[in-house]
Each structure stands twice: as C-alpha cells, then as structure tokens.
Amino acid sequence: MAMKTFFLMLVLWCSMPLLTAERHAKWILLEINEEKANIIKHRDVEHREDVDYGQWAEPTMSHTHEHGTVSIYYHLEGRTVHRTTRLDPRVMIYEGQKDGELSGKIKKEDSGVLAVTVPHDASHLTVVHHSPPDARWKVSNKQHTLAIDEKFAVLAGSEGTQNQITDAIPKTVQLAGDPARHLNIVMVSGGFTSDEQAKFDAIVEMAGSFLSGELNLGSMAVPALPAPWDRYYPVVNVYSVFQPSKESGTSFPLDRYGNGGHPSSPGVAKLVNNNLDCAYGTENVKMLNCDHQKMLELASFSGAEMADDQTVIVGVANGGVYGGTAAAGKISIYSGRWKACDITDLVQAAQKCKNGYTWLNDEYPTTQQNMFLNVLIHEIGHAQGELSDEYSYNLDEPQKLVRFNCHWSSTLAVPWQHWIDSGEIEAPTAVCSYTNYFKPTAKRCLLGSGRAPEMCAACAETQTLAIMKQTHELNGPRCPRSGETLVIVENDEEWIIGLREKFFGGGVLMAKERFVLSPFDWPAEVFPAGHKRTDATGTLPLRIDRGDIATAWAWPGNAATQMTGPKGSITNPETYIKFTGKMLGVGEWSIVMDITDNSEFVKKSAWETNLRWAAAVKNMQNNATFRIKVVKDSDSQWGHCTLANMKRLDAATFKSNQSSWSLNQCPNSVTGGKMGMASYYCAICDPGKVCNDSFPAKPFEALGDLEAAYEAVETKLIQLVLPMGAGAVLGCILIGAFLTWRWRNKPHSVIPYPTVLVVCRLILLTIQFILLCASIAVVAAAAIMYNNLNVYGKTLAVAAIFVAAFLYLVAFFGFLGSWQRSKPTLVIAGILLLLLFLAVLGVTIVIFYIKSNLDNDTFVTTLQNAWINQIENNPKSMCRFQAELSCTGFKENCLLGLTSQCPKDCEVTNAKYANTCWNLVKGQVSEYAGPISSALIALVLVLFAALFLNWAQCCLIRRRKMTINNRLTQIPEWADTNAEDEAKWAERRAVNALKNLNPREAKALKKEFQKIDKDSSGTLNVKEMMVFYKDVLEMPLTVAEAEDVFRMSDRDGDGTLNFNEFILMHTNADDEEKKKQQVLADKRLVQLGIQSSILDQMYDLFYTADMDGSGKLQIDEMKLIFKKVMRRKSGPSDAQIQKFMEKVDKDNSGEVDFFECCQLLKASLADNDSDKQTNKANKIKPQEDDIAVTPVSEDGAE
C-alpha cells in the first residue's frame, strides 16, 4: 500500500506546472479616461471559492444611467467572462451649502478609478464604455483591452510603485460577517497627523453611534435620524484605516483667476500636504473631494471586499467647512471641527464626548450643529443607493430617465407610486437635480435639504434595497458558526445555540419614547393637510421602521424527542434554542432558523420582479442552518465533547487543547447575551471555510491548514536551516581557501603524473565546475520565484534548494579533491555523488515507468485503489489535491454522485470542477514527461560521467602510488645480488629510493628545498626530512628510516643536511655507477695493482669527501676524509694535512685527484708493511706530524 500511495503522490506531483500560480485572485486598480483605460497596479488577494468572479452572459441592466456605464471583462484561456458593469467612475456629484441650503453640481471628470477582482490566471481585461444615444456626456462605445502585466504588480500588504503605504493602521469597528456577503463601509483618514489619530477615531465612533441610532437623542442636538440605517447597521461591516498625514487639515486652492481660498480669507490659498490630497473647490460653494485612487489604496488594508458594488469607501477630510462628494462606491465628507473634551464639564462629557473629543460648530456657514453626519448619509445615498439630489443643478436633462427618487414626469406613474397611493407621499413636485425633473416631496428629504432630519419614503426604500442587495445573510454573528458542525455527546446536558440578537430587535430608534423623538417632528407647513400620520399636535412624526422581523426554529422531524421550535418577533426575538443530545439522538442533524424581514420601509410587491432590486427583496427572506452531530460518550474521537468539559475550559486550556480536541470559540457578541451558553465547543469545520472571524476566509480545499503548517515550517527553515546553510557555504569557502593556501605552500610531488590521470583530472574539474554553477543557479532561481508560488510550489522550491545544496556539496568536494589530487577528499565526493546519482536515476526510472504505463489498465487500477484508500484515510488531503489541481474524482466525476472516488465533506471541489484528476494528470504527464525525462537523462549522464571520472581518478592515484613505491624500492640492475641480498636492500629502501630518481625528478627537487626547509635555516633536520619523503616522494617514513637516510646523507657529520648534501644525495644512481666504472677502468689504476675491493672503498671515500663534485679534494675535504677513515671526532691539524697533501700532490696543483690518492694508497700499503716490522723490532712510535692511514672496510675491519 505504501508503494501504491507513493506512485499516486508522484503522479499528482508530476502535474506541478498547474500549481505554479497560487490559489489567488488579482485585485486590479483601473484608471478610466475618455479615450483609454489603464491598469494602475494589481496585487494578489485571497481566492474566494464562494465569490462569483463573473458570469458567462452579459447581464441585462435594469436601468440606463444618463451619464454612462463601464463594463469590464476578463479573459481566460479560450473564453471571455463578463465581470461587472458599473456607473462611470468619472461622474462626480459635488455637495456644498449656499445661504444655508444644499447646493451642488454634477460633473464628469477627465479620469476616474475603480477596482475589480478577477481570477489569478486572467491574462487580459477589456473595458467597454456605454452611454445612451442622447446622453449629456456622450462617449463612443469604445473598448480597451489591457494586458495584466507583471510590471503593474505590487506585493501583498504594500501599495504604490513609488510611495508604498507602510504606515496604514486598520481597525475593525464592527464585524457582522463575511465581507463578501455583507455591505462594507470603510472610513479612511485624510489630513489627520499622527497626533490626531484619537480625533479620527472619535469621528469614526460618532459615525457608528449615529448610524446605529445609539446617540443620546434626548440630551443632545442630532441633525438627523439615521433611518433606515439604525435597523440594518447590525448587518453591515464597518472598518477604519488611519494613515498619518504630514500636515493637518484640507487644502483651499485658487484657480487661475485667483478665485478660491478659505471662506474667512477669500483669494488666499491654503495648501496642505494631505495624505489623500483632500481639497475644497474654488467656487463660492466649497465642494470637497479627496483623491479616489489614494482612497482605494488605503481602504484595501481594511480586510473589506474591495469592489465598488460591495464596499463604500468614506474619505474623512480633516476640515470644518461643509462639503462632500460622491461617486460610484466612494464618498468624501468633511469632519467638522473637534476639540478635546473638558473632563470637568460633566454635561459635555455625557452628551458629546467621544473617544476624548467633542465637536464644535462648523466654520462656514454658521450653524447650530456639526453637519458631517447629514453629509455622511446623504453621500452614501448617492454612492451606494444611486439616489439623486432633490435640488436643482440648474441644468435640463433631455433624456427620459427612470431614477428611483427623480422622474421626468409629474403626471405619469413614477417609481415611488405605491407611496403616493398609500398617502405617505404627495404628488411629484419640482425640481429634482434637473430643472425639468420632479421629486417625491417638496422639503421632507435629506437628499434635498441640509436641514431635513430624515429621508423621504422613496429614498429610504431605495437605500434599504441597496443595503439588502449586498446582504446575503441576515443572521450576523452566530454560534456555532456558519460552515461548521457542532459535536455533542448524547446525554442530558442542555446546550444553547443561536444568533446575536441585535438585528432582530429592529434597531434602537424603535424603542425610543415618543417624547424623545418629538423634537424631530415635521411642522405643518411642510406636509399636506390631512396626512394620515398627523398626530394630535398637528405635526408629522418622523418615520420609524416598526416592521416585524419574524423568526421560526424548525426542529428535526425524526429526532428522538419531538418539540415545537420557538418563534420570535421584533418585540420578542427568539434567536436562541435549547436542547440536549438525548433529545436529538445519535446521528447528524440540522436545526434551521427561518428569518423574514417585513420592513415597513419596503413595499416588496413593487420590487419582486424588478431586475435591479429583485435580489434585494429575496435577501429579506433568509435562514440560518445549524448542524449538530451527536455521538455516544464512548466515542474515541469525540467522547470528550461534553458540556461539562467545555465549561471547565478557559483561554489557556482552550488554546492548548484546540487542535487535539477540535475546539472552537463562540463570538463574544453571541455568548454575552445569553446566560448558560458555553463559550467553547467541539466542531468540524467544512471544506472551503475557516470557522472564525478571519475574513476573507481561506478555503480549506485550496489551502486550509496546509498554509499555516507550511508557514510554521517556513519559520523553522528561516530560523535554523538558512543560518546553517549559510554557515555551511561560508565554511566550505573558508575550508577551500585554507586548503588551497596550504596546498600552494606545501611541498609537491616531483614524480610526474601519467597523461591519462592529467586528462581525467581536467575533465572532472570541468564537470564539477559546471555542477557548482548549476547548483548556484538553481538556488537563485528558486529564491527569486519563491514568493510567487503556492504551498506546493514553495515545497518544490525548498526541495530544489536542498538538492542544489547537496549537489553543491558534492561538486565542491569533487572539485577540491581533483584540484589537489587528494584521494580522501575524492572518496568523500564519490560517496556523495553515488547517492545523488542513484536518487536521480530512481526518479528517472519511475517517471519512465509512469509514462509508459499511462494506458496500462493494471497500473491505472492500482492508482485508483490508492486514491480511494487515501479518500478513506485522508479526505482533507485529497480535498486539497482536488482544489490545487482544479479537478474532481479520479476517473469518475463527483458531479455524477459517484462518491467512492470523492472525498467526504468536500462539497466545493466535488461539485465545482468538471475535469477528472486522472484525465488532468494524464494530460500533464504526457505533455511534461518528455522534457522532464530528457532533462533527467542529461543529468544522469553528467552525474555518471562525474562519478566514473571521480573513482577513476582515485584508482589512478592509488595505482600511481603503487608504481612509485615499486620503482623507488626495487633492486637496481647494477646491484650485485650475490654480494648483497634482497632483505638487506629492503632495510635501506629509504636511502636507495633516492638513487632511483631520474634526472628530471632530481632537478625538480631543487624547487622544493625551500618548502621542505620549514624553519628557513638552510638545512634540514630529521622531522623535515620525514615531511619531504611524504610530500615530495609520496613515501611515508618511520623515524628509524628517516634517521638512516640522515646518517647516510650527512656528509659533514653535523646532524643536518645543507643544500649541497641535499642535492648530492639525489644524484642519479645509474649515472654515478657509470662514472665509477669509468674511473676505476683507468689504465693507470690497473697498473698500480691495487685490489678492486680496496679501490671501491677508496672511490666511495673520495667521492664522499668531494662535496662539491669537482673530482678533486681541497684541504677541508681532505679533513673530512681523514675523520671518516680514522674514526675520530676531530681530524688531524691543518699543518698535518698540508704536509700530507704536499706528499700526495704530484702536480703541485694544490688539490688532490683520485689517481694521486690511489698512488698514496699504493705507497702507504707498501710502507706500512715494512714500518710495522721495523717499529716492532725497535719499538719505535710514529712521529706526531706523521699521519697513519689504515684502510677500513665498511664493516669496520681493518
């Protein structure tokens, strides 16, 4: 089975070209111009399995915007997908005040920006402009195709190609759920210095309190009521991102005519280095705007879903002058003036203090309260609800447009006709944005008057529908969480599951007392007489959405104990249910909570078939499903999941047992509202989900815990392996440098190398150098590509680095051993090289085997069985394989319900992909096995050549050493074997080896003398002589053998070898013997009649004394020969030697040659016999100045 699994995994890994792109999507920032479109930048973001990245057909627009739209398509291999159609981002609505009333304009700027998210493998984008035929700013239906080039890429977590954002401080203000399934509001700071972060946080807190309706309405002046936001704020995600600005405030520029400046000092420019480039306009109406590109870039750090249709970005400009701007998905608002709270003023602290700050009156115009909250709701209505301004731009609009709060006719049916019919709104009245358009009410709307405390019914309904269109789940935070199964034990313990209650109460305003809201009532002059909601005081109360939010729990019909699930309403929410494991029984169960939002602000029947708002109406009917698995208390895997065990856990024990017990934690917002609810529980998280509050979720089937596990391994690699690897490389470099230095400064062998060894060495050096370069190149390439790879790709990169490091080690030792001709180093390299060769050869054989058996039924069946076995034992791993390979099943598609080949709990990949994994892998193997095999074969051949040459060099070095040993220690041809046996010759092998050197070798010794003479004394001692034999003659000596060499070579007997003795010691033995035979064959010596043995001894004595090799002896050399002959520590005096030489030197040359010495020897032998007898008879001793010369044999006998 292990072998089958190995083959299966290897087949899957053969398809790694599919995995080089990580499971990412691309977030792309686009600039839209009149004539073209450009990609500003893009970066990788987390791929979402549950996010729709487009549709195959062009969507039908529910309405035509008068100022044009932009459609975006992305291109994959072989197909084009429509991603989105949006309002033209260049269209801007500017807001200001004039004489205390709202005033503004609509303008189409030269360029705009928008963001889209597309699949990672998209290669191009196509941007198409659309506009109605009679549009005010007509554009031709141009299209621009843009390559998603890597030059536009930026790293995740960084922004900008020049000024990267590194100081963004994101904060999650409220998390209702997955950002891809909820509306997101991201507030970004503009013009707040680092010292003003608390001020920005106070503004964000105040905005959240206002939208939720939680402001203290009874004790402070609030400019407007937040309906319908108070009801739906709990299902909206809210984020903030603070970035310190270099300077505080917002710019007031001048135009070329000198118009502009601050209202208090017209004509004087005030330019501020604002991080979002927020600036007011130069007209009398101070319209405000911030740079949309910078807003998008900063907001992308929030964690929200960064798309214009899912997220509203609010740029908060640090300024006290009323102003705002709206475009598709982006608004800019002023902050108003703020100051630090006076903590001694208890009224101020209770009423207005937020995060240590309280607001002041606006600078211009003078009003009774800060109006930035009015502007916030007003601009979100434009950007997210596509609401129109209910005041005049002083422009006519020739098109007959259908807007949700503006209409071209006052007599025909309008989109808000159902509110007219119900008596809530009167007949349409002029004007609405354009002078020839009509609006729902004259004054009662926040979109038409800066003083209005609420939206009209038409605007509130449109805003509600816009919120609900992006809200795909009404439940919000819950426990257990979405995408997981609660595991409990079958016993009588009472479990509680449910949802956060906040949304189901209908909002804060509904619970307010009438007297608290009465200050915001409409006076009689602004609404028609007889309005159905007029109260006894003659005023019209503000609209509060009291529509019911109904809930109903559905208990499983086949549970062990039957019960009726609780039902709730807006006045009595039932968001929790209690039950026990015994009530359900062992098995897997689903408890469903149905949710119905019956908002009074929305007439569902009017919009159920509307193309734009039908999805919003559908989202108002929702449900939450809770899955429970009940097990026996004896269950080996889940028996610990009792309520008692869960309640004993605290934060520390939860963390330590989280993995082994498969634990999760309920959100605090859920457990905080229910007594007795457990904070911790056992859970099984679904594939494709991360069951916590981390969004966007990382789909388990794409990365899951494998990503976290790899990050842990990566950390260990960085902390341990990389320093060790760097140390090893540095160590290799230092060792190589040291050995090279030592090799260059140590004595080298004088024995020549055979040609075959030289050639082998050169070839091996070349191969090892190539392998060194290749290993370095592999490491560099893997390091460069690393961050762009997925988990499997990174694993391959790390493996490649390790293999390259091993190859580098092999090549390093091989190169070093070849360079220095070191057999031990070559042996180490050979062993490492053999291991690497066998590994590569094995992989090559397996790939060939797989390639040749792709159509073999037995082989395929074996893999299929291994696949099924892995599904049974490791379903999560197989989920990851399917997701990474974008396939499903082995040979049978999981869409067909053939579950034997499909991993359990793997709904996403089982149902997503059409291609089976075997077909995919087979195609990949067929395509890539050829090039991979060729590369592996080439590598095998190179490694085999290196292996062969490495061991061949070892063998040649050993053979050469044996040859040298044989040559230097063999008995020469001229040796008299009868006189001297082989055993005696072997005893003197070290001395005799020197006599077997050829002239070239002897000549080379002269270059090695200084290297051998370590102490630079000019002489060699015994220790240095041993080094000489080992390094130069490649013959290690014992101490006794070295002393023997020394004794035989030390001609002057001083215990050291000087240079002359060193050189003469290496005189060639064959040449010396020939010279000796020539000298002894002299006819004059034959005539002397001296015995040949005596002549041999005399010759050896003479040439031992002849230290300079001149063939003649001087006084000092004669002194040496007398010391040898007379065997005394001190020889005769110089006077005695001078007298002796005068007798011997027949030609008066001052020197004595060998023939003259032989003449002296002949005379000495004759006189010696007669003198002995005479002296014996007369008992006379020799005179002091006479020198007695007695020939001595080599063994000491006279």
Side-chain angles (χ1 to χ4, degrees), residues 973-984:
E973 296 179 357
W974 49 265
D976 185 0
T977 55
N978 295 327
E980 193 169 22
D981 58 20
E982 295 183 9
K984 190 172 183 180

Side-chain angles (χ1 to χ4, degrees), residues 829-905:
I831 294 173
L832 296 175
L833 196 58
L834 178 62
L835 294 175
L836 184 61
F837 170 76
L838 292 176
V840 176
L841 180 62
V843 173
T844 306
I845 292 173
V846 170
I847 289 179
F848 266 105
Y849 175 77
I850 293 174
K851 183 181 178 182
S852 60
N853 284 276
L854 287 177
D855 297 318
N856 185 295
D857 293 338
T858 303
F859 175 74
V860 176
T861 301
T862 301
L863 292 180
Q864 181 173 311
N865 293 335
W867 176 280
I868 295 173
N869 180 69
Q870 286 296 312
I871 286 175
E872 294 175 353
N873 297 317
N874 301 296
K876 291 185 177 181
S877 297
M878 301 311 292
C879 267
R880 284 196 290 266
F881 273 122
Q882 287 191 165
E884 290 295 340
L885 297 174
S886 301
C887 63
T888 180
F890 186 76
K891 290 186 69 178
E892 298 170 333
N893 196 303
C894 294
L895 290 171
L896 304 178
L898 301 172
T899 56
S900 63
Q901 295 187 8
C902 305
K904 300 176 183 178
D905 301 322

